[in-house]
Amino acid sequence: MSVLVLGHKNPDTDSIVSAISYAHVLNQRGIQATAVAQGTPAPETEFVLNKFNLKAPEVVTSVASKELYLVDYSDLAQAPADLNDAKILGIVDHHKLGDVTTDTPLECWIQPYGCSNTIIKMVADYYNVTIPADIAGAMLCAILSDTVLFKSPTCTKFDKKAAEELAKIANVSDLEALGMEMFKAKSNLNASPRDLIFRDFKDFDMGGKKIGIGQLELISLSMVTPELKESLKKELADVKAEGRHSAVLVLTDIMKEGSELLVVSDEEDVIINALGTQKSDNMWMPGVMSRKKQVVPPLQSAFKA
Amino acid sequence: MSVLVLGHKNPDTDSIVSAISYAHVLNQRGIQATAVAQGTPAPETEFVLNKFNLKAPEVVTSVASKELYLVDYSDLAQAPADLNDAKILGIVDHHKLGDVTTDTPLECWIQPYGCSNTIIKMVADYYNVTIPADIAGAMLCAILSDTVLFKSPTCTKFDKKAAEELAKIANVSDLEALGMEMFKAKSNLNASPRDLIFRDFKDFDMGGKKIGIGQLELISLSMVTPELKESLKKELADVKAEGRHSAVLVLTDIMKEGSELLVVSDEEDVIINALGTQKSDNMWMPGVMSRKKQVVPPLQSAFKA
């Protein structure tokens, strides 16, 4: 039976491409593996898959009695509900260490790099696995996306090196142009407020409180009209009401290199203070590009039990 | 400030040597690191440190506000009580994934190999770090110990390869002879029953039940006299009474390649059945050499919530 390679809920480009690229690496290592996903591709990911002629992984929401590799997460909240009935063989991730545990030894490649695909390139190198051009192109896009064209504080020298090597394999000479084309596709706001909030959304357990954080990365915040912002706030209140302590949306301007905060919470002041901004209609956070590195850790600290 | 590299409670040779060898690797990578331990060396480890002129790491029981690398574990039960007040920068381990979590991204090298030092050799190779002869000798001993001279089912081709390369660096030609010398030192039974039980003892949370499992690896089980066995059983009852659901001692005969089970538990039958033996005065488990691979997983399954 083929083992499954599965990214997190509300999959982003790194999550979907990691499933595809890691399944390739595992297959080359002699482990029969199939890429799957917990959802369909968002606009950015669709662009990447089209660009490099790759198919979207099959959507899977139950993993009972399956053998699994997790890519791009290690939190139970981001896994299918029946993860405990599956056997986890390995994890590739670049986030904080979550609450997934196992009964048997496994293989974890977890590094504080900007992108899971940088780590997958490292595993491929370790096992002398060759990466085909189409998968290399998608991996390159995942790195450009996660590191926001190398501008995010999460970006490391390992990400840059992997991106350069993957660009060569994929025959991409202008990384900047590819990245902008991709972020243009990502900046697509033709969707319902709910879909926009959940496009890249993660729930976290912070000191026993369920805190959902979405992020929209845009070429320019000016794309968000006052009307759209009002609708997003209203929808955020509904998202919060669905059993969450807080619902947060981070609107990132990738050219201005900063983010605006939208928040509905039982403890709004705690969140606003933790993120170093002030209560207003336009809560701007200069330099904030990374949910993982600049939003989640201060909130974790603020809500630590 | 120097970061600490810390193994698990009741440290065995792999745990102590991992702290020493990983601190070396980190220092060579430019990260100022100091090896520490949660206890003093057991007889086997003392033999290894003496043999290769290494000092026992300083004993540390509190890690509040320290920066830490964990080696050879990822379970809170095996960490200092104030681990939550420390910052974990990385983990090297070869066990099941435990319940340690972090607030920030970190570096985990976790592989289903026979020994943490095999993984540390891999990290050293990845970063082009040279290992000095004395540390290489101790790492070799850790591999020989954890894999019981390559006879344990936990042993992989990666362990054998690392051991061969380390033997060359350490100028050791007869691995078998070194291993037997080490296991002779380990078979030292001149200690109190309590000390023998806790020499290599780990507490596990299994479906909410605290289950402590010790292991004594001996050149021959005939060394355990009926009187000693009686004292061990009596002491095991005290260990169980200290807030545990079960206290287990696995007496391994490394030459006969099997183990005898001693157990005091609220659910003795569940444990005896899970380990595939029958209730008697001499509960022999043929082929059982590895707590990690042959004892913990069946008990985890049996007690799964």
Side-chain angles (χ1 to χ4, degrees):
Chain A
M1 198 181 73
S2 183
V3 302
L4 303 182
V5 186
L6 181 67
H8 52 72
K9 284 182 181 160
N10 305 299
D12 58 2
T13 298
D14 191 27
S15 188
I16 297 247
V17 174
S18 288
I20 295 172
S21 60
Y22 204 48
H24 168 75
V25 172
L26 291 169
N27 278 309
Q28 295 296 308
R29 283 170 56 188
I31 299 162
Q32 207 192 317
T34 306
V36 291
Q38 294 190 63
T40 52
E44 181 195 64
T45 313
E46 242 174 26
F47 163 83
V48 171
L49 296 178
N50 283 339
K51 179 97 185 169
F52 295 101
N53 297 307
L54 295 168
K55 261 195 246 168
E58 194 192 328
V59 173
V60 156
T61 51
S62 165
V63 292
S65 80
K66 302 284 187 194
E67 295 193 315
L68 273 190
Y69 286 85
L70 307 184
V71 283
D72 205 32
Y73 66 117
S74 63
D75 291 291
L76 289 172
Q78 296 175 36
D82 55 4
L83 186 76
N84 272 330
D85 303 323
K87 182 174 181 185
I88 300 169
L89 301 178
I91 300 174
V92 170
D93 195 19
H94 67 125
H95 299 88
K96 68 191 183 63
L97 187 60
D99 52 1
V100 164
T101 60
T102 67
D103 292 346
T104 48
L106 76 170
E107 177 184 335
C108 297
W109 299 82
I110 301 172
Q111 295 288 338
Y113 299 166
C115 180
S116 284
N117 274 286
T118 301
I119 304 169
I120 292 170
K121 174 68 167 62
M122 165 186 175
V123 181
D125 290 344
Y126 184 75
Y127 282 103
N128 279 317
V129 167
T130 309
I131 300 169
D134 52 358
I135 294 180
M139 291 171 78
L140 168 61
C141 283
I143 297 175
L144 292 174
S145 169
D146 264 20
T147 65
V148 194
L149 304 173
F150 309 131
K151 288 191 285 194
S152 168
T154 61
C155 185
T156 67
K157 62 180 179 183
F158 302 98
D159 299 297
K160 284 182 193 156
K161 186 167 169 278
E164 277 163 25
E165 292 172 8
L166 291 164
K168 258 183 215 158
I169 301 171
N171 243 321
V172 171
S173 53
D174 191 340
L175 302 198
E176 180 84 15
L178 173 63
M180 285 309 287
E181 208 186 340
M182 180 179 70
F183 275 106
K184 224 178 256 173
K186 184 177 207 165
S187 300
N188 182 343
L189 292 176
N190 289 329
S192 71
R194 170 153 289 252
D195 284 350
L196 291 175
I197 291 169
F198 279 101
R199 187 176 280 170
D200 177 11
F201 186 90
K202 290 182 184 174
D203 276 314
F204 298 87
D205 177 292
M206 299 192 182
K209 291 158 183 170
K210 187 174 176 182
I211 297 185
I213 310 176
Q215 183 175 23
L216 277 179
E217 286 163 317
L218 304 168
I219 295 227
S220 167
L221 268 196
S222 65
M223 300 171 69
V224 182
T225 60
E227 295 73 34
L228 175 56
K229 198 158 128 181
E230 216 33 65
S231 319
L232 288 169
K233 269 190 197 163
K234 237 175 113 182
E235 191 65 39
L236 214 49
D238 289 347
V239 172
K240 191 246 166 221
E242 289 156 13
R244 291 183 180 84
H245 171 277
S246 308
V248 173
L249 184 63
V250 178
L251 299 167
T252 301
D253 189 316
I254 69 161
M255 298 315 286
K256 276 198 194 140
E257 303 192 21
S259 298
E260 186 173 330
L261 172 70
L262 302 186
V263 55
V264 183
S265 169
D266 290 340
E267 295 172 271
E268 217 170 283
D269 292 348
V270 174
I271 291 184
I272 292 170
N273 286 338
L275 296 177
T277 180
Q278 254 129 33
K279 191 160 180 151
S280 78
D281 282 343
N282 298 288
M283 294 187 278
W284 179 248
M285 303 179 287
V288 170
M289 310 279 283
S290 163
R291 172 173 55 195
K292 181 162 69 81
K293 200 150 183 168
Q294 297 168 295
V295 177
V296 171
L299 294 185
Q300 286 275 11
S301 298
F303 288 113
K304 205 158 191 171
Chain B
M1 198 181 70
S2 183
V3 301
L4 303 182
V5 186
L6 180 65
H8 53 71
K9 284 182 182 161
N10 306 298
D12 58 1
T13 297
D14 191 27
S15 188
I16 298 248
V17 174
S18 287
I20 294 171
S21 59
Y22 204 49
H24 169 75
V25 171
L26 291 169
N27 278 309
Q28 295 295 308
R29 283 170 58 189
I31 300 162
Q32 206 192 318
T34 307
V36 290
Q38 294 191 64
T40 51
E44 181 195 63
T45 313
E46 241 174 27
F47 163 84
V48 172
L49 297 179
N50 282 339
K51 181 96 184 167
F52 295 101
N53 296 308
L54 294 168
K55 262 195 244 167
E58 194 191 329
V59 173
V60 156
T61 51
S62 166
V63 292
S65 80
K66 302 284 186 192
E67 295 194 317
L68 272 190
Y69 286 85
L70 307 184
V71 284
D72 205 32
Y73 66 116
S74 63
D75 292 289
L76 289 172
Q78 296 174 37
D82 56 4
L83 185 76
N84 271 331
D85 303 321
K87 181 173 181 185
I88 300 170
L89 301 178
I91 300 175
V92 171
D93 196 19
H94 67 126
H95 299 88
K96 68 193 184 62
L97 187 60
D99 52 1
V100 165
T101 60
T102 66
D103 292 345
T104 49
L106 76 171
E107 177 183 335
C108 297
W109 298 82
I110 300 173
Q111 296 288 336
Y113 299 166
C115 180
S116 284
N117 274 287
T118 300
I119 304 169
I120 292 170
K121 175 68 167 63
M122 165 187 176
V123 181
D125 290 345
Y126 183 76
Y127 283 102
N128 278 317
V129 166
T130 309
I131 300 169
D134 51 357
I135 293 180
M139 291 172 78
L140 168 61
C141 282
I143 298 175
L144 292 173
S145 169
D146 264 19
T147 65
V148 194
L149 303 174
F150 309 130
K151 288 191 287 194
S152 168
T154 61
C155 186
T156 67
K157 62 179 177 182
F158 301 98
D159 299 297
K160 283 181 194 156
K161 186 167 169 279
E164 277 163 25
E165 292 172 8
L166 291 165
K168 258 182 216 159
I169 301 171
N171 243 321
V172 171
S173 53
D174 191 341
L175 302 198
E176 180 83 15
L178 173 64
M180 285 308 288
E181 208 186 339
M182 180 179 70
F183 275 107
K184 224 177 258 174
K186 183 177 207 164
S187 300
N188 182 344
L189 293 175
N190 287 329
S192 70
R194 170 151 288 248
D195 285 350
L196 291 174
I197 291 169
F198 280 101
R199 187 176 281 171
D200 177 12
F201 186 92
K202 290 182 185 174
D203 277 313
F204 298 88
D205 177 295
M206 298 192 182
K209 291 158 184 170
K210 186 174 177 182
I211 297 186
I213 310 176
Q215 184 176 22
L216 276 180
E217 286 164 318
L218 303 168
I219 295 225
S220 167
L221 268 196
S222 66
M223 299 171 70
V224 181
T225 60
E227 295 73 36
L228 175 55
K229 198 158 127 183
E230 217 34 64
S231 318
L232 287 169
K233 269 190 198 165
K234 238 175 112 182
E235 191 65 40
L236 214 50
D238 289 347
V239 172
K240 191 247 168 219
E242 289 155 13
R244 293 182 179 85
H245 171 277
S246 308
V248 173
L249 185 63
V250 178
L251 298 168
T252 301
D253 189 316
I254 69 161
M255 299 315 287
K256 276 199 194 140
E257 303 192 20
S259 298
E260 187 174 330
L261 173 69
L262 301 187
V263 54
V264 183
S265 168
D266 290 340
E267 294 172 270
E268 217 169 285
D269 291 350
V270 175
I271 290 184
I272 292 170
N273 286 337
L275 296 177
T277 181
Q278 254 127 35
K279 190 160 180 151
S280 78
D281 282 342
N282 298 288
M283 294 187 278
W284 179 247
M285 302 179 288
V288 171
M289 309 279 282
S290 163
R291 172 174 54 195
K292 179 161 69 84
K293 200 150 184 169
Q294 297 167 297
V295 177
V296 171
L299 293 186
Q300 286 275 12
S301 299
F303 288 112
K304 205 157 189 169

